Amino acid sequence: MELEIESHPWPPFIPEGAKVLIMGTFPPQAKRWNMDFYYPNRTNDFWKICGLLFLGDKDALLIPGTKDYDIDKIRALMTEKHIALNDTVRKARRLKGNASDKFLEVVEPVPLYDLLREMPDCHAVATTGEKAGTILAEITGTEIPKIGEYVEATLPEELNLSSDKLEIWRMPSTSRAYPLAVEKKAESYAKLFRHLRIL
């Protein structure tokens, strides 16, 4: 039986003046979503990290009194901080029917350079996991950086961006499957955001 090819459910989130593009691999199945937006799983640490770093509280992006995320507050924060969101995979097959990157077959990667054309002020991309880092390295012909560090890619001249250099950062996975405390993960993200003068 041939496995279903899934298409990414959301368009790229690109606020005006985006300075960094944060990229995961591919969303979990819809049954695991807490909201119809990036990092939708309640157990994922991404929005806890953003709450902690930008608002001083890892639960700041939850709807008060619930365990549900406030999508409007999230969109407003990402817009204010000039953070774009997308994933490295446009189309995929789940080989085991779960959210694990290990069992995700990439059918079509993201058209990275088309995305960057829409973000002339963006000179950094950060991946939130190992597989996303591997895919980006294949697209750009670079090495996979160590966690919390970056490598520099030279972009094609025909993109006509303000710089032909792109920093590619590898961040700790925000999945709870990656066994590191939220506060420790946040330290790496703080380094990225300070470097870009977002924090």
Side-chain angles (χ1 to χ4, degrees), residues 120-134:
D121 299 319
C122 178
H123 306 301
V125 175
T127 60
T128 60
E130 185 176 2
K131 186 160 188 133
T134 302

Side-chain angles (χ1 to χ4, degrees), residues 57-161:
D57 177 2
K58 67 182 179 184
D59 294 328
L61 293 169
L62 292 172
I63 297 167
T66 75
K67 292 184 177 178
D68 296 330
Y69 283 110
D70 186 332
I71 190 169
D72 294 330
K73 198 168 184 180
I74 282 169
R75 284 175 171 272
L77 181 65
M78 295 297 96
T79 299
E80 178 195 333
K81 299 298 179 183
H82 306 289
I83 296 171
L85 301 163
N86 199 210
D87 288 318
T88 52
V89 177
R90 274 281 166 90
K91 292 185 179 177
R93 283 190 188 94
R94 297 184 203 274
L95 304 182
K96 299 273 185 182
N98 61 26
S100 171
D101 280 357
K102 194 195 291 191
F103 301 114
L104 191 77
E105 178 192 336
V106 179
V107 175
E108 183 187 319
V110 71
L112 177 67
Y113 297 143
D114 289 347
L115 272 183
L116 292 174
R117 275 195 190 95
E118 296 181 50
M119 295 180 271
D121 299 319
C122 178
H123 306 301
V125 175
T127 60
T128 60
E130 185 176 2
K131 186 160 188 133
T134 302
I135 293 166
L136 224 53
E138 288 168 359
I139 292 171
T140 57
T142 54
E143 296 294 312
I144 302 167
K146 292 177 182 171
I147 291 175
E149 297 183 9
Y150 72 90
V151 296
E152 200 168 71
T154 301
L155 297 170
E157 280 181 30
E158 60 267 21
L159 288 180
N160 287 323
L161 298 175

Side-chain angles (χ1 to χ4, degrees), residues 22 126-130 146-149 169-174 178 185 187-193:
I22 295 189
T127 60
T128 60
E130 185 176 2
K146 292 177 182 171
I147 291 175
E149 297 183 9
W169 290 72
R170 180 178 164 203
M171 310 312 296
S173 171
T174 57
Y178 184 67
K185 291 181 184 183
E187 288 174 13
S188 289
Y189 285 82
K191 178 181 174 185
L192 164 71
F193 293 141

Side-chain angles (χ1 to χ4, degrees), residues 1-49:
M1 191 174 108
E2 192 163 337
L3 293 168
E4 176 194 0
I5 295 176
E6 292 182 45
S7 294
H8 199 287
W10 307 304
F13 178 78
I14 304 175
E16 191 173 341
K19 293 181 181 176
V20 62
L21 171 61
I22 295 189
M23 307 188 86
T25 308
F26 199 72
Q29 295 141 301
K31 66 184 179 183
R32 300 194 179 279
W33 296 358
N34 174 240
M35 61 176 172
D36 196 10
F37 196 60
Y38 290 89
Y39 304 99
N41 193 327
R42 266 193 194 93
T43 61
N44 192 287
D45 285 334
F46 186 75
W47 299 118
K48 294 182 179 81
I49 290 166

